[in-house]
Amino acid sequence: MVMLQRFVFKRLRLFYSGNQEITKSLLTIFPAALLDGHRAAGHRAKSSLPDFKERTLIAVKPDGVQRHLVGQIIQRFEQRGFKLVGLKMLQVSEDLLSQHYCELRSKPFYPQLLHYMTSGPVVVMVWEGFKVVNTSRMMVGHTNPAEAKAGTVRGDFSFHISRNVVHASDSLEGAQREIQLWFENKELLTWDCCDQKLTCEEE
Ligand code: UDP
Ligand code: MG
């Protein structure tokens, strides 16, 4: 203990003599205390960040593209405050679609769904933000437009389940799987949006 005290005293003396390197070595002596102090000082670890970095896949289906609804659908996500991190237009292959809808392959409507989804280009996007998966499902509305509330995309732009305009991932796991399926990593951007501090209080 005495040895330690002497050591710390010596280091402190050197510190006050202005040697920067000593500051560093002192920091390594008490890492745990520093960490606690850092937390106590209100610098919360960025543990809440993943929520804000949540991502989901949204696609304007061929009927939405043909009906010139792409802009209006993008606008809804923009005005809600979400951040666009990926966007492209493509003609979907049957192979990609069968992977996307792998859980629906045995459904009676699957052949029609395949035909519908490959009938023209789709616009596929990745949106990022707080609880974006859940919120975008609410914004998109019920699968069956006849039951979708007014104010939702499907409730405002469609009336039949066979042409429901838009796709939205239904869970965090689903979103991750679909994003990897439709996008390469290099097609997704990490960027700072200048309104970030205006849309929620920083944690
Ligand atoms: N679909 C259909 N008939 C049905 C159920 C679904 O044509 O009875 C189509 C519809 O386009 C729907 C898609 O299959 O959006 C995927 O179905 P899901 O149950 O995953 O609904 P979603 O997640 O799109 O709301
Ligand atoms: Mg679904």
Side-chain angles (χ1 to χ4, degrees):
M1 191 63 196
V2 176
M3 291 282 287
L4 181 67
Q5 277 171 345
R6 265 195 216 137
F7 174 73
V8 171
F9 180 72
K10 208 169 147 195
R11 292 286 162 140
L12 280 171
R13 217 176 36 184
L14 282 166
F15 170 68
Y16 282 113
S17 69
N19 190 331
Q20 298 272 313
E21 279 308 302
I22 305 308
T23 316
K24 280 188 208 152
S25 67
L26 274 172
L27 291 180
T28 59
I29 297 172
F30 307 113
L34 277 168
L35 209 62
D36 284 349
H38 185 69
R39 284 197 196 110
H43 300 282
R44 210 174 300 166
K46 292 189 173 176
S47 60
S48 53
L49 213 58
D51 261 357
F52 288 89
K53 295 283 173 200
E54 196 174 298
R55 288 180 172 186
T56 198
L57 186 100
I58 302 293
V60 184
K61 295 179 176 182
D63 51 330
V65 175
Q66 296 286 348
R67 293 175 54 207
H68 313 285
L69 298 174
V70 175
Q72 292 189 67
I73 292 168
I74 289 179
Q75 188 183 18
R76 289 181 177 222
F77 288 88
E78 279 193 325
Q79 74 186 20
R80 187 82 189 224
F82 291 126
K83 182 161 71 172
L84 186 60
V85 294
L87 171 79
K88 62 184 173 185
M89 186 181 205
L90 70 158
Q91 174 68 47
V92 193
S93 67
E94 288 197 9
D95 180 47
L96 174 60
L97 207 72
S98 69
Q99 291 182 63
H100 176 77
Y101 282 136
C102 57
E103 289 163 4
L104 301 178
R105 276 184 219 156
S106 59
K107 300 283 183 192
F109 59 82
Y110 183 73
Q112 288 101 302
L113 178 61
L114 200 69
H115 182 256
Y116 159 45
M117 289 297 291
T118 54
S119 66
V122 301
V123 171
V124 63
M125 306 167 251
V126 177
W127 288 90
E128 182 182 286
F130 183 71
K131 307 269 186 199
V132 70
V133 174
N134 218 21
T135 306
S136 58
R137 283 295 287 193
M138 290 192 286
M139 291 166 68
V140 160
H142 198 286
T143 303
N144 184 354
E147 293 178 42
K149 292 200 174 82
T152 63
V153 176
R154 286 166 173 168
D156 288 350
F157 298 126
S158 56
F159 60 80
H160 197 267
I161 196 162
S162 62
R163 297 290 182 271
N164 61 3
V165 177
V166 69
H167 166 82
S169 309
D170 67 1
S171 63
L172 265 177
E173 301 71 41
Q176 270 162 17
R177 185 184 75 81
E178 290 171 5
I179 290 168
Q180 278 171 13
L181 190 62
W182 288 80
F183 284 89
E184 290 179 45
N185 278 342
K186 65 176 184 215
E187 294 175 309
L188 300 172
L189 296 190
T190 298
W191 60 287
D192 287 327
C193 195
C194 62
D195 76 354
Q196 230 149 287
K197 289 193 170 66
L198 302 171
T199 51
C200 64
E201 189 165 342
E202 247 184 317
E203 290 275 318

